[in-house]
Amino acid sequence: MGCNRQPVNPYPVYTAQQYFDMGMQAFTAENYPQAPQYFETDVSMAPSMADAHYYLGLCYLKQNMLRRAEDSLVAALRYNPGLLRAREALGVLYYTKGDYFQAKRELEQCRAGYSTNPQVYQYLGAIYLSEGNCPAALAMFTRALELDPALFPARQGYEDAKRACGRGPGKAAPQP
């Protein structure tokens, strides 16, 4: 009589990619509390999906959950060491946390990877300036301003470096 109907699952089953796509929709809509739920499910199903770890890290950053953000960004780099945007975000995170040693290490790798993120160079400039490395600081602030002429912190850093170093580009270094 046709009584052999299969029960209907009230909860749809999605693939890891579908969870990633739903996470991206929530992320794009700036729904940072909702997006991590999708990305977390995605990485539980497909742990090596570096992009999901990266966006999960960004969601945590937006919510000021720095430890979780760091863990997610490190995981993204574990699965894809060449994921430049994850390294950039991690370097900026370390700088923001005041861990300048780790920040410099990550940001230097970004610079070596030809990053086009002006914050990479802005923060490297600030680190070099704090170390007293005036030529490198000026070069980094200059690069940041080449990438984004309106980046006020880089402009301010450049001016601070010129004052601290006692010279502008092309001028002789002060004699001791």
Side-chain angles (χ1 to χ4, degrees):
M1 244 189 77
C3 293
N4 291 337
R5 288 184 59 187
Q6 293 292 331
V8 176
N9 184 355
Y11 302 104
V13 177
Y14 297 110
T15 66
Q17 183 62 51
Q18 288 170 315
Y19 278 111
F20 178 80
D21 293 342
M22 289 185 287
M24 287 303 299
Q25 288 175 347
F27 182 85
T28 302
E30 298 181 6
N31 187 349
Y32 304 120
Q34 179 69 43
Q37 295 173 25
Y38 295 121
F39 292 129
E40 286 170 356
T41 303
D42 179 20
V43 298
S44 71
M45 295 173 74
S48 65
M49 195 166 182
D51 283 338
H53 288 285
Y54 166 70
Y55 282 105
L56 184 56
L58 292 185
C59 290
Y60 288 142
L61 278 174
K62 296 288 187 178
Q63 297 178 78
N64 205 32
M65 301 168 84
L66 301 183
R67 184 66 207 169
R68 285 185 173 189
E70 180 180 348
D71 291 344
S72 295
L73 294 169
V74 166
L77 290 169
R78 182 179 331 111
Y79 293 112
N80 183 355
L83 190 59
L84 186 60
R85 63 183 185 254
R87 193 164 306 281
E88 292 166 343
L90 186 59
V92 169
L93 170 63
Y94 285 142
Y95 184 89
T96 302
K97 287 175 47 176
D99 186 346
Y100 303 120
F101 177 79
Q102 292 283 53
K104 182 179 179 183
R105 191 184 73 178
E106 296 298 332
L107 296 171
E108 279 292 347
Q109 288 185 48
C110 296
R111 185 179 65 81
Y114 303 104
S115 172
T116 58
N117 182 337
Q119 280 189 313
V120 165
Y121 301 96
Q122 172 199 332
Y123 291 139
L124 274 174
I127 291 168
Y128 286 137
L129 184 59
S130 73
E131 295 173 346
N133 186 344
C134 291
L138 288 166
M140 292 302 106
F141 288 127
T142 298
R143 181 65 180 134
L145 291 168
E146 288 170 355
L147 292 168
D148 184 356
L151 187 61
F152 179 76
R155 179 151 318 282
Q156 187 64 49
Y158 180 79
E159 294 302 321
D160 291 346
K162 282 195 327 187
R163 273 192 303 282
C165 299
R167 64 188 175 97
K171 294 184 182 174
Q175 298 299 315

